[in-house]
Every structure is written in structure tokens, then in C-alpha cells.
Amino acid sequence: MRLLWDKQLRLIFLIRMFSSLGYYMFIPFLGVYLLGLYNYSSWQIGFVVGIGLLATRAGAIFLPRLVNSLGDKWIIFASYILVATLLLFTGLAQLSSYPLWIIVSAILGVSFSSATLAMKVWIANCVAEGERINAYSVLNIAVNIGAACGPAIAGLLTSRHVSALPLVTAINLALSSVLAIMLPRERLLKTNAIAVSKTTKLEMSRIPKEFLFLIACGAFTWIAYAQVFDVFPTYAKGHLSESLVGLLFTINAILIIVLQTPFTHYLNYVFERRNKIRAAICLLAISQFVLGMSFLGFMFIDTHIWFGPVLGMILFTCSEVIWSPLLDVLVAEVRGTLGSATAFAYTGLVWGVAESIGSWCGLVLINKQLTHGVSPILLGMIVAFLSSIFFAVQLTLERSRSIGRSVT
């Protein structure tokens, strides 16, 4: 990827890598941090984590106009310097006020969301159209480097000095903010203003049922996803070492880097030869079944049965490599008269809410599981299998409609 060696893109790559490293060090282990220092209840921790995840996923829906008015560079700088300052404050002051943690979590989420949006806009404005796919791929590599290394570092920190977690995270985000200052102020290409889609009543009345169905099934997927990514580190505390939990997330990130490109080539091959929508729904049904099976491995939370969670994470990653890009493909395909920006804004909001609810429910269920109730792992398995069934039903209906149209 030759764009990686372009000076300005190297900057955005490093900004994204350090910020991703900070994000994956802190957010997945926020529950462990709060539990280790302040001994909050599971539902309190779930609410704080859920607010942060919701803000991270849905915060950008309010930000396009702000990015346009202030500029990509300064939004990136302001977002990361704000996050670094907050983390330094919470780490040094040993913030114990629960309401303040809710506010901090929300601010962190919105800041991460705004910086991510600004980086994508920077590429749209400063990279030639024919090279943008490669540029976004470089960003994805940076994200996965952070996802691979962040949890491993956090696992080591939480096993030895849990109080240092926000301070080390702040260093990474401070580096991102310093690098952001070095980005060029001028736009290399003609500025294209971000179009903020305003959904009219006519658009609302014509939202396809397929689109609403996709949003619902995607919500089930994100609830299941939350049980591993957001809940499992807390669920496994006392059963698996923090280092092993960090290793599991590292395995996830490395496998995504290795598997995503071959799968993308396979996806293009399938789409060239089959109906795109039916093929995507079929693969999504399969991916949800694999996702459900992965939870069988996560049930074995014992240091002496380490291969169970490792196998579970491998299956979980294989599923993620399939459903993560396919959900976005279907959003674009079945959105009907909705503008693409509006469609992705809706899905981002709903799926962000779903992940937040899923993480909250999973963390609450941890205490219930101790009294032989439903565990968050069982919840994830049930939801994933339900999503697989729903996609299979949708595939059957899509085939029936296709046959009906061909007969007509």
C-alpha cells in the first residue's frame, strides 16, 4: 500500500494508531478499572460503560456541521486533548463520584466519535478519489494494530497497577493530539461539504420493511457482540488471568487483519455471480450461527481450560469478519428512498443503543450468574441464534419474492 508512505497519510495513520491503542486499552477494561478501584455494583458499572459505548457509536450523528465549521484538523486535536485531559484528571484525582463517572464516560464517547468522523472527512477532502479505498484501508490497519496491542497492555496494567490505566491511555491520546497539529491546514482537494440528510415525512413513509428488519437483526448482533467485547473481561475476572483476557482480544485483532482481505475478495467473487442481497443475507445467517457457537468456548472460564475461550474467540472473529462488512453492504442496498447518510445515521444510533443495552444487561447478569441465574454468555448465545433464524427466514422470504417476480 504505497499511500502508507505519503507524509500526510503517515500522520493520520499514526494519529489513528495511537488513539485506537488508547481506546482499546481503556474502554474494554473500564468495568475492570471501576470494579478494582471503587467496587461499584455490576449494574452501576454497566450503566457507565453503556453510556460511553452509546456516545461512541451514536455521538457523531450531531457532529457533521461542527466538523465543517471548525475544520477536520482542529476537531481531531480538540477531541483527543479533551480525552487525554479527562483521563489524567480521573487518574490523578482518583475520581470516585459515580455521577461524575457517567459524565466522563459520555464525554469520552462523544470525543472519540467526533475525532473518528473528522479523520474520515480529512481523507475525503485531502486524498484523491481513486486512492481513498486504500487510504481507508490504512486507517483500518491502524485500528486493528490498536485493537491487537491495547487490550494486551491493559491486561498487564490491570493485573499489576490498575490505577495507572487512565494515565497510560492519556499518553497515547496526547500523542495523537500533538500529531494532529502537524496535519496541513489547507485542503488538498476542493472541499466537499458534508451533506446532512434531512429525512422528510415522505422518506419516513417509504422506509422499506427490509431496512427495518435489518436494523432489528443488526441490533441482536450487537447485543451478542457486547457480551464478548464489553462484558467478558469483567465476567472472567477471578477465573482467567488479565493477561489471558488481553491475549484473547489480541487474537481477535490479528485474525481480523489476516482474514478480512481474503474474505473481501471472496465476497466480491460471490456478488459477481449471485444476487447480492440474497447472498449477503445467507452469509449473515451463517455468521450468526457461528457467533452463537463461539459462546460455547467462552463458557469455560478456567485457567486450566484456556483452550475453550481461545477457540471461542477464533469462532467469534470468523463470524465478525463476515457480518461486520455485510451489515454495511445491506444498509446501502435496502435503504430505499433514504439518503445514505440518513440510513447509516439510523443504523449507527440503533446499533449503538443495542450495544449499550447489551453491555448493561450482561454486566447485571454477572451477579445473577453467581446465584445460578442466566449468564451473559448464555444471553449472547441465545440472541445470536435468534438472529441467525431471523436472517434465514428473511432469506426464504426474499427467495419467494424473487420467484414471484420471475413468474410474473
Side-chain angles (χ1 to χ4, degrees):
M1 244 176 239
R2 63 181 180 81
L3 275 179
L4 185 58
W5 306 111
D6 175 82
K7 179 182 177 180
Q8 306 305 336
L9 195 59
R10 273 206 306 271
L11 278 175
I12 205 73
F13 171 81
L14 290 172
I15 292 169
R16 186 63 165 157
M17 185 186 71
F18 284 120
S19 64
S20 178
L21 189 64
Y23 178 87
Y24 285 103
M25 282 174 59
F26 193 73
I27 297 300
F29 286 82
L30 178 56
V32 176
Y33 176 77
L34 295 176
L35 183 63
L37 285 186
Y38 308 117
N39 201 29
Y40 291 145
S41 67
S42 58
W43 75 265
Q44 287 178 309
I45 293 174
F47 188 74
V48 171
V49 174
I51 288 293
L53 292 171
L54 175 59
T56 302
R57 293 276 299 169
I61 198 172
F62 307 107
L63 298 170
R65 292 188 184 277
L66 183 63
V67 173
N68 265 348
S69 60
L70 296 183
D72 319 333
K73 167 182 175 175
W74 296 113
I75 288 292
I76 298 171
F77 169 77
S79 298
Y80 288 140
I81 201 67
L82 176 60
V83 174
T85 303
L86 273 177
L87 290 175
L88 282 174
F89 170 73
T90 57
L92 294 175
Q94 294 290 295
L95 182 65
S96 60
S97 170
Y98 180 72
L100 282 180
W101 266 112
I102 295 175
I103 296 172
V104 167
S105 181
I107 295 174
L108 291 179
V110 172
S111 297
F112 277 118
S113 182
S114 61
T116 299
L117 175 64
M119 278 187 277
K120 291 180 178 180
V121 172
W122 184 89
I123 289 179
N125 290 334
C126 299
V127 176
E129 184 175 354
E131 302 288 358
R132 287 176 194 161
I133 294 177
N134 290 336
Y136 285 120
S137 297
V138 168
L139 274 192
N140 287 333
I141 292 173
V143 169
N144 282 288
I145 289 174
C149 301
I153 296 172
L156 292 173
L157 286 174
T158 53
S159 65
R160 291 171 173 80
H161 305 288
V162 67
S163 60
L165 183 61
L167 303 178
V168 177
T169 304
I171 292 173
N172 285 282
L173 295 165
L175 286 171
S176 290
S177 63
V178 170
L179 290 169
I181 299 176
M182 301 169 65
L183 287 171
R185 295 182 62 183
E186 70 278 2
R187 303 290 176 89
L188 303 183
L189 300 178
K190 201 171 189 178
T191 301
N192 297 316
I194 300 175
V196 181
S197 299
K198 296 182 178 180
T199 305
T200 64
K201 292 182 179 179
L202 179 61
E203 280 183 307
M204 292 295 294
S205 66
R206 293 184 179 178
I207 295 179
K209 293 179 181 179
E210 294 83 0
F211 181 74
L212 296 175
F213 180 85
L214 177 64
I215 288 182
C217 287
F220 274 77
T221 301
W222 281 103
I223 290 173
Y225 174 88
Q227 306 315 308
V228 174
F229 191 82
D230 306 321
V231 177
F232 187 74
T234 305
Y235 176 70
K237 187 175 177 61
H239 301 279
L240 298 176
S241 68
E242 286 84 353
S243 299
L244 179 56
V245 174
L247 176 63
L248 292 176
F249 285 98
T250 302
I251 291 172
N252 171 259
I254 292 174
L255 284 179
I256 288 177
I257 295 173
V258 172
L259 297 177
Q260 190 68 74
T261 299
F263 175 73
T264 301
H265 288 309
Y266 170 75
L267 192 61
N268 289 328
Y269 174 82
V270 171
F271 284 174
E272 288 174 0
R273 289 160 176 77
R274 299 181 181 275
N275 179 281
K276 181 183 291 188
I277 294 178
R278 289 206 303 271
I281 294 174
C282 179
L283 289 170
L284 281 169
I286 294 172
S287 74
Q288 298 307 291
F289 179 78
V290 175
L291 177 60
M293 293 299 294
S294 72
F295 285 98
L296 291 173
F298 290 115
M299 288 182 176
F300 297 98
I301 49 171
D302 190 302
T303 303
H304 301 294
I305 317 178
W306 57 267
F307 58 84
V310 170
L311 178 60
M313 183 58 79
I314 291 173
L315 291 175
F316 176 85
T317 306
C318 291
S319 169
E320 185 181 355
V321 166
I322 300 172
W323 64 256
S324 182
L326 282 180
L327 285 179
D328 287 338
V329 169
L330 279 182
V331 168
E333 290 291 327
V334 302
R335 60 186 172 85
T337 59
L338 285 176
S340 58
T342 303
F344 280 103
Y346 284 167
T347 54
L349 178 61
V350 173
W351 294 343
V353 170
E355 185 181 2
S356 299
I357 292 174
S359 64
W360 182 80
C361 290
L363 289 167
V364 168
L365 285 173
I366 289 176
N367 280 345
K368 300 292 184 181
Q369 196 269 339
L370 295 177
T371 57
H372 305 288
V374 178
S375 75
I377 301 305
L378 183 59
L379 170 65
M381 179 188 295
I382 292 172
V383 170
F385 282 146
L386 284 175
S387 182
S388 179
I389 293 171
F390 293 155
F391 276 121
V393 170
Q394 180 65 12
L395 177 62
T396 303
L397 294 175
E398 184 65 29
R399 283 176 175 169
S400 299
R401 281 194 294 267
S402 178
I403 294 173
R405 286 192 295 265
S406 62
V407 170
T408 303

